[in-house]
Amino acid sequence: MSVDADLLETLMSQNENHPLNFTLKLNDLSFQIISVSITNSPIPVNEPTTRGGVYFSDTFAYKMKGVVEDLSIVPLLTKKMLGPNTEFGELIITTQIDDKGKPVTLEIFTNLTNSVQTPNSIELSMIIVKLNSV
């Protein structure tokens, strides 16, 4: 897994102290993600493993949750969800953090693990699989 733990800790800390702006890019469209939380928590495996032959899972994972209020995203998510799909893709989310006084744009690559739709929004639960600074 290529997650830079120090960079992720900086992201988590800054988002907790002052919520950052997150943008999900999907099929050349951009969707704002609000109420974002990022945690490092145990997952239900005893040792690192490949889950379902499609993605790698360690015993701890950085999990990300957020809400999209634009429901036009819903049909675009069908091939992105892990689980019964044989085809799925990573979601790419961008944000900007302050790293030692300089703005740094981050690309957060995630796997969508769950979504809950309400009449006005959809909450996305994801596992962070990669983090790039650009």
Side-chain angles (χ1 to χ4, degrees):
M1 191 186 292
S2 57
V3 175
D4 181 332
D6 290 336
L7 199 52
L8 248 171
E9 292 296 328
T10 300
L11 171 64
M12 289 168 59
S13 173
Q14 288 184 20
N15 187 56
E16 193 173 296
N17 294 328
H18 180 70
L20 302 171
N21 293 320
F22 293 88
T23 303
L24 169 62
K25 296 188 178 164
L26 192 55
N27 292 3
D28 297 323
L29 299 171
S30 294
F31 300 91
Q32 183 179 11
I33 305 176
I34 60 171
S35 304
V36 173
S37 68
I38 303 169
T39 58
N40 185 5
S41 59
I43 55 175
V45 294
N46 296 329
E47 60 187 41
T49 184
T50 300
R51 308 217 39 202
V54 291
Y55 74 103
F56 179 79
S57 180
D58 210 337
T59 56
F60 278 82
Y62 286 96
K63 296 179 181 180
M64 183 175 191
K65 278 190 176 187
V67 174
V68 176
E69 293 180 321
D70 182 348
L71 291 178
S72 68
I73 194 173
V74 173
L76 304 175
L77 292 172
T78 54
K79 289 191 175 178
K80 300 296 182 179
M81 178 75 81
L82 292 176
N85 259 340
T86 55
E87 293 179 32
F88 70 92
E90 291 176 336
L91 297 177
I92 301 172
I93 299 164
T94 57
T95 192
Q96 195 170 68
I97 63 168
D98 178 62
D99 188 26
K100 300 174 186 141
K102 294 181 182 176
V104 175
T105 299
L106 297 179
E107 287 182 328
I108 306 163
F109 295 81
T110 67
N111 289 139
L112 180 62
T113 57
N114 188 33
S115 64
V116 177
Q117 187 174 343
T118 68
N120 302 318
S121 65
I122 184 164
E123 182 182 78
L124 307 176
S125 298
M126 300 160 281
I127 293 178
I128 297 174
V129 294
K130 187 168 55 172
L131 186 66
N132 288 340
S133 56
V134 273

